[in-house]
Amino acid sequence: MGLDISYEAVAAEAYAHIDSGGVGMGIGIQCDIATPALVRHGTEELKELFLRPTISGDKVACLGVSEVGGGSDVAALRTTARRDGDQWVLNGGKMWTTNGAQADWMCVLANSSEGDPHRNKSLFCVPMDTPGVNVHKIIDKMGMHSSDTTETTFENVRIPHGYLIGEEGKGFIYQMQTFQNERIYIAAGTIAALDRCIQETIEYTSQRKAFGKSILDNQYVHYKIAEMQTELECSRALYYKCIDDYIAGEDITPLATMLKLKTARLAREITDGCLQFWGGMGYTDEVLVSRLFRDLRLMSIGGGADEVMLSILCKYMGIHPDMNKI
């Protein structure tokens, strides 16, 4: 349709008005995380097989990057893809796979050769009903309960050579490009959800009375909420700049990384601060704020932990101690 990333961002904001955060996360995997590399680099035949039915909703997609031995350290993954004639043979496993239990296919990042870990990886479309693909369990999580998260293994999984996305050895680069989409999507949904968290807290504290006045009338409470809103607006401004720069074709890696880091930390601060003002009700499962407290805690972990975001930023700033090794 020729639409730019701002349309995806608007959609992500809209999904944040669904009380269950897992719904927007599942859709985001389908649209912004498992499929961008296929859109950019896949052959027309591969798009017809996997992308078209995914867009129409006839197939569910998931992404296979994180593994049991590591999540954010993408270069260290151990799943392999060995060429055997006109086929690829995959062995290994993936962890923390959103949509994994219901997916029809997985976009898998695997080592397709030896050597430099940034240049030996490739991306593949792997149908989940292929012999040797095993979904071992659905993982019980602290939040995002409506979203399935799985552990999956590959045991001599054979797929056609044509299921390779783009060029062999370019998988790491393709995946890093996709992460910029992911960080914008995460920020869009998180900022919109935090807006709801603040507004619901204002409404509740304005009605809840203690010691002869509303909770909101306490100076500490309304000052703290004003601080939260100020921090959120600063994050929103960075979010809009990332979108504008992305559309303009600029490299937004540093800004998108800052956006992911700041928004994720705000998710922890704002949900925790708002929950406190709800008192005992905030500690129940009956109110939205407690759900947001659980669901949005993921943002500092999923899609690259806060510490990984800081490491990336330090490398871009030239202050990382391992710069001479890069």
Side-chain angles (χ1 to χ4, degrees), residues 227-284:
E227 288 181 357
M228 292 177 187
Q229 191 68 56
T230 300
E231 291 289 331
L232 190 58
E233 292 304 325
C234 290
S235 190
R236 197 190 320 269
L238 179 56
Y239 156 56
Y240 289 156
K241 178 169 175 53
C242 282
I243 291 175
D244 288 343
D245 288 358
Y246 187 97
I247 293 171
E250 298 180 21
D251 178 13
I252 65 163
T253 303
L255 286 182
T257 303
M258 293 176 188
L259 176 64
K260 167 69 166 60
L261 174 67
K262 181 62 177 177
T263 306
R265 288 190 167 178
L266 275 182
R268 294 158 67 180
E269 295 167 11
I270 291 177
T271 56
D272 184 64
C274 286
L275 188 148
Q276 185 68 25
F277 297 147
W278 285 70
M281 282 302 298
Y283 199 63
T284 71

Side-chain angles (χ1 to χ4, degrees), residues 159-305:
I159 58 172
H161 178 263
Y163 284 11
L164 169 70
I165 298 175
E167 297 180 42
E168 182 180 349
K170 293 288 186 67
F172 184 89
I173 295 171
Y174 296 161
Q175 196 55 50
M176 293 303 106
Q177 293 172 340
T178 298
F179 283 157
Q180 308 320 311
N181 292 66
E182 180 181 26
R183 287 164 191 164
I184 289 177
Y185 185 92
I186 288 173
T190 301
I191 290 170
L194 293 177
D195 270 328
R196 293 188 67 197
C197 188
I198 290 173
Q199 291 306 311
E200 294 237 349
T201 300
I202 290 172
E203 182 178 348
Y204 177 78
T205 55
S206 67
Q207 297 173 0
R208 178 76 168 87
K209 299 286 197 276
F211 304 105
K213 60 182 178 181
S214 74
I215 300 297
L216 186 62
D217 283 345
N218 289 278
Q219 185 184 72
Y220 174 79
V221 176
H222 56 253
Y223 275 17
K224 186 64 176 178
I225 290 176
E227 288 181 357
M228 292 177 187
Q229 191 68 56
T230 300
E231 291 289 331
L232 190 58
E233 292 304 325
C234 290
S235 190
R236 197 190 320 269
L238 179 56
Y239 156 56
Y240 289 156
K241 178 169 175 53
C242 282
I243 291 175
D244 288 343
D245 288 358
Y246 187 97
I247 293 171
E250 298 180 21
D251 178 13
I252 65 163
T253 303
L255 286 182
T257 303
M258 293 176 188
L259 176 64
K260 167 69 166 60
L261 174 67
K262 181 62 177 177
T263 306
R265 288 190 167 178
L266 275 182
R268 294 158 67 180
E269 295 167 11
I270 291 177
T271 56
D272 184 64
C274 286
L275 188 148
Q276 185 68 25
F277 297 147
W278 285 70
M281 282 302 298
Y283 199 63
T284 71
D285 287 333
E286 299 179 15
V287 295
L288 177 65
V289 67
S290 66
R291 186 172 205 165
L292 293 175
F293 178 86
R294 290 184 287 106
D295 285 353
L296 295 183
R297 185 60 181 84
L298 173 64
M299 301 310 142
S300 278
I301 301 170

Side-chain angles (χ1 to χ4, degrees), residues 7-317:
Y7 291 84
E8 299 174 19
V10 170
E13 291 181 30
Y15 301 146
H17 290 273
I18 302 170
D19 288 351
S20 172
V23 175
M25 186 166 72
I27 296 172
I29 293 291
Q30 180 96 341
C31 301
D32 287 86
I33 299 171
T35 50
L38 179 57
V39 172
R40 296 187 184 112
H41 308 291
T43 63
E44 291 306 313
E45 292 78 10
L46 204 57
K47 291 177 183 178
E48 196 66 30
L49 278 172
F50 294 98
L51 185 61
R52 182 179 293 278
T54 301
I55 292 172
S56 67
D58 294 322
K59 286 187 177 181
V60 174
C62 64
L63 177 69
V65 174
S66 296
E67 299 186 353
V68 174
S72 297
D73 187 3
V74 177
L77 68 81
R78 293 179 292 181
T79 297
T80 61
R82 176 178 54 84
R83 182 74 181 271
D84 184 21
D86 61 353
Q87 293 183 322
W88 292 96
V89 182
L90 278 68
N91 281 282
K94 298 298 177 180
M95 190 70 169
W96 315 118
T97 304
T98 303
N99 292 355
Q102 58 184 316
D104 296 291
W105 68 278
M106 180 186 291
C107 178
V108 177
L109 185 64
N111 295 317
S112 54
S113 64
E114 301 292 334
D116 186 338
H118 300 100
R119 295 179 175 83
N120 73 339
K121 293 171 175 53
S122 300
L123 280 174
F124 303 90
C125 294
V126 179
M128 296 296 282
D129 60 358
T130 306
V133 176
N134 299 296
V135 178
H136 288 278
K137 65 176 180 179
I138 298 178
I139 301 165
D140 291 327
K141 307 184 299 296
M142 170 183 164
M144 300 291 189
H145 293 156
S146 67
S147 173
D148 56 292
T149 307
T150 65
E151 177 184 357
T152 304
T153 59
F154 309 112
E155 299 177 16
N156 294 318
V157 174
R158 290 183 172 270
I159 58 172
H161 178 263
Y163 284 11
L164 169 70
I165 298 175
E167 297 180 42
E168 182 180 349
K170 293 288 186 67
F172 184 89
I173 295 171
Y174 296 161
Q175 196 55 50
M176 293 303 106
Q177 293 172 340
T178 298
F179 283 157
Q180 308 320 311
N181 292 66
E182 180 181 26
R183 287 164 191 164
I184 289 177
Y185 185 92
I186 288 173
T190 301
I191 290 170
L194 293 177
D195 270 328
R196 293 188 67 197
C197 188
I198 290 173
Q199 291 306 311
E200 294 237 349
T201 300
I202 290 172
E203 182 178 348
Y204 177 78
T205 55
S206 67
Q207 297 173 0
R208 178 76 168 87
K209 299 286 197 276
F211 304 105
K213 60 182 178 181
S214 74
I215 300 297
L216 186 62
D217 283 345
N218 289 278
Q219 185 184 72
Y220 174 79
V221 176
H222 56 253
Y223 275 17
K224 186 64 176 178
I225 290 176
E227 288 181 357
M228 292 177 187
Q229 191 68 56
T230 300
E231 291 289 331
L232 190 58
E233 292 304 325
C234 290
S235 190
R236 197 190 320 269
L238 179 56
Y239 156 56
Y240 289 156
K241 178 169 175 53
C242 282
I243 291 175
D244 288 343
D245 288 358
Y246 187 97
I247 293 171
E250 298 180 21
D251 178 13
I252 65 163
T253 303
L255 286 182
T257 303
M258 293 176 188
L259 176 64
K260 167 69 166 60
L261 174 67
K262 181 62 177 177
T263 306
R265 288 190 167 178
L266 275 182
R268 294 158 67 180
E269 295 167 11
I270 291 177
T271 56
D272 184 64
C274 286
L275 188 148
Q276 185 68 25
F277 297 147
W278 285 70
M281 282 302 298
Y283 199 63
T284 71
D285 287 333
E286 299 179 15
V287 295
L288 177 65
V289 67
S290 66
R291 186 172 205 165
L292 293 175
F293 178 86
R294 290 184 287 106
D295 285 353
L296 295 183
R297 185 60 181 84
L298 173 64
M299 301 310 142
S300 278
I301 301 170
D306 285 0
E307 293 74 18
V308 174
M309 298 300 102
L310 287 168
S311 180
I312 292 170
L313 289 173
C314 288
K315 290 174 182 176
Y316 267 88
M317 296 172 67

